[in-house]
Amino acid sequence: MLKIKLILLLITVFSTPGLVIAQTDEQTPIIFDTDFVMPPADDGMALMLALQSPELIILGITTVMGNESLETATSDVLRMLEIANRTDIPVYQGADMPLVHDKSDFSVSQYGNWYSNEAPKMPPGGFAKITAKSKSAMSFLVESVMDQPGKITIVAIGPLTNVAQAIRAEPTFAKKVKSLVIMGGAIASLADGAGNITPNAEYNFWVDPEAAYVTLRSGIPIELSPLNVSRKSALSKEYYEQMILRETPFTQLLKDTVGKRFENDPDSVWLMYDQIAVASLIDSSIVTTKKMYVDVNINHGISYGVSVGGEELWPGAEGAQPMNVQYDLDWVRFIKMFSERIQRPIPK
Ligand code: RIB
Ligand code: CA
């Protein structure tokens, strides 16, 4: 539980029509950068967790292509904010394609739909009435960080295109970001380090390898949540049933989406990805980390987009930086935390 020490609090007030949120010095201001899709996708469940966690103050949400197109990411996230009654949180659209990586036959036939120019599908309950701001994700990232140097944490759970653009746009940006939590990569030198899109590449890094390379080498303090830690999770029907015991708009959304999947395949067990990155920011003791140098291969060929991690620098990785790499998870504590928070009442 968050302890609010009223007297000692440094109060910053964010005022938006109809809502006033007080930020305390025990809370972490974040920008949530996401290739969003509604649950059962992990980004959808990760945002639900962030919205239900008073330790985090979401200053804004920036969208990026990845799981689906940029238009789908934006349309779904706007609808999620309506369901959550948090239309005070501004949404900024970012990159609709990677920096360099082009659409290929492989990307079209595989997981993900970032290259698509199809209109977004209607989210649960219909398209949102609210709209995204006209400012770009990159401008919002740069302006926010420059306004509050050393204060803002970025949670990046999609391809790193928006973050890399901000790093390149403002030379002092990287020095002024407090920290960056990234879901991405797979570290072959640790257990469970295979890729999920090519034999060794993880999806977010593979969609935009150059953006991952720029970001990982930027000097921003990084907490990396790679596939190794995701593979310590196991969402089964039994755990899902514990998540939907109370009636709220969020549990209804889970029943309509995650529940459908378990109806079709009751024995399935899923990994959780972006949810772990968010949870680790709320309670760092649910994950075990190790300091490693991590770099990304940007040579076009069989290892394009592969992340490589080592405890020491190795030839060819000069310029790579050390970061905290998550490799183990207290699964039971994590899923209890997730279930409890998801079922908290939603603001009226
Ligand atoms: O590899 C897992 C990552 O790819 C997650 O962030 C998921 O949402 C997809 O973007
Ligand atoms: Ca994601």
Side-chain angles (χ1 to χ4, degrees):
M1 276 305 279
L2 178 73
K3 280 184 248 144
I4 303 197
K5 298 177 204 150
L6 278 169
I7 308 167
L8 300 174
L9 294 181
L10 168 67
I11 306 271
T12 309
V13 174
F14 293 92
S15 236
T16 55
L19 193 93
V20 175
I21 295 172
Q23 181 187 321
T24 76
D25 63 358
E26 292 193 351
Q27 293 173 302
T28 304
I30 65 167
I31 296 176
F32 196 90
D33 187 70
T34 171
D35 56 335
F36 196 84
V37 192
M38 280 285 183
D42 55 338
D43 294 75
M45 291 165 79
L47 181 58
M48 289 162 93
L49 175 61
L51 288 165
Q52 297 289 75
S53 297
E55 296 86 347
L56 307 179
I57 289 279
I58 306 175
L59 303 176
I61 298 175
T62 49
T63 55
V64 64
M65 54 71 225
N67 281 313
E68 292 285 340
S69 68
L70 178 70
E71 288 70 24
T72 295
T74 309
S75 165
D76 275 12
V77 89
L78 290 166
R79 178 66 195 136
M80 176 64 98
L81 292 177
E82 286 186 349
I83 294 170
N85 250 328
R86 291 302 312 275
T87 55
D88 57 297
I89 298 176
V91 175
Y92 301 88
Q93 295 205 86
D96 64 357
M97 60 186 299
L99 296 179
V100 176
H101 189 154
D102 216 346
K103 170 180 162 178
S104 62
D105 290 347
F106 180 74
S107 49
V108 171
S109 66
Q110 297 297 316
Y111 166 68
N113 209 11
W114 55 265
Y115 47 79
S116 167
N117 52 14
E118 279 169 26
K121 290 196 194 72
M122 190 161 74
F127 288 105
K129 293 183 186 61
I130 55 168
T131 54
K133 304 285 177 198
S134 55
K135 188 183 285 182
S136 72
M138 179 189 73
S139 300
F140 175 69
L141 281 160
V142 170
E143 287 170 21
S144 308
V145 167
M146 300 307 277
D147 280 356
Q148 296 194 64
K151 297 271 188 266
I152 296 178
T153 295
I154 300 169
V155 179
I157 55 174
L160 289 161
T161 323
N162 295 337
V163 179
Q165 285 178 345
I167 291 167
R168 286 294 196 242
E170 170 48 59
T172 65
F173 174 82
K175 281 198 185 68
K176 293 181 175 162
V177 175
K178 182 179 180 201
S179 65
L180 172 60
V181 182
I182 296 173
M183 190 288 131
I187 308 298
S189 59
L190 300 174
D192 296 322
N196 63 355
I197 177 75
T198 74
N200 289 317
E202 181 278 331
Y203 186 74
N204 287 338
F205 282 11
W206 177 83
V207 169
D208 200 338
E210 287 76 12
Y213 179 88
V214 166
T215 305
L216 263 51
R217 286 173 164 248
S218 66
I220 301 175
I222 292 174
E223 171 97 7
L224 190 69
S225 192
L227 290 178
N228 307 69
V229 72
S230 311
R231 292 191 172 115
K232 304 296 189 290
S233 64
L235 178 60
S236 61
K237 187 161 182 274
E238 287 67 37
Y239 284 113
Y240 156 72
E241 281 166 354
Q242 294 304 308
M243 265 178 216
I244 50 154
L245 296 175
R246 295 201 196 116
E247 280 294 326
T248 78
F250 273 0
T251 57
Q252 189 55 52
L253 182 60
L254 290 177
K255 286 181 205 166
D256 295 343
T257 53
V258 180
K260 284 244 164 64
R261 279 215 183 162
F262 282 120
E263 259 169 45
N264 295 337
D265 187 1
D267 296 328
S268 60
V269 176
W270 304 346
L271 298 184
M272 295 173 92
Y273 306 93
D274 300 343
Q275 304 96 322
I276 297 171
V278 171
S280 70
L281 188 54
I282 299 163
D283 179 357
S284 59
S285 71
I286 62 156
V287 291
T288 313
T289 65
K290 149 183 296 206
K291 266 274 189 277
M292 294 182 97
Y293 293 87
V294 182
D295 210 3
V296 180
N297 190 328
I298 52 170
N299 298 315
H300 291 248
I302 57 171
S303 291
Y304 188 45
V306 169
S307 50
V308 183
E311 289 181 38
E312 307 287 339
L313 271 180
W314 62 97
E318 295 83 4
Q321 72 170 77
M323 57 196 72
N324 286 331
V325 177
Q326 301 176 357
Y327 66 94
D328 204 359
L329 172 73
D330 187 334
W331 160 249
V332 172
R333 229 154 44 76
F334 161 74
I335 196 65
K336 269 193 182 161
M337 174 215 235
F338 186 85
S339 288
E340 185 274 313
R341 285 168 186 247
I342 288 303
Q343 297 182 73
R344 288 179 182 176
I346 282 181
K348 293 242 186 281

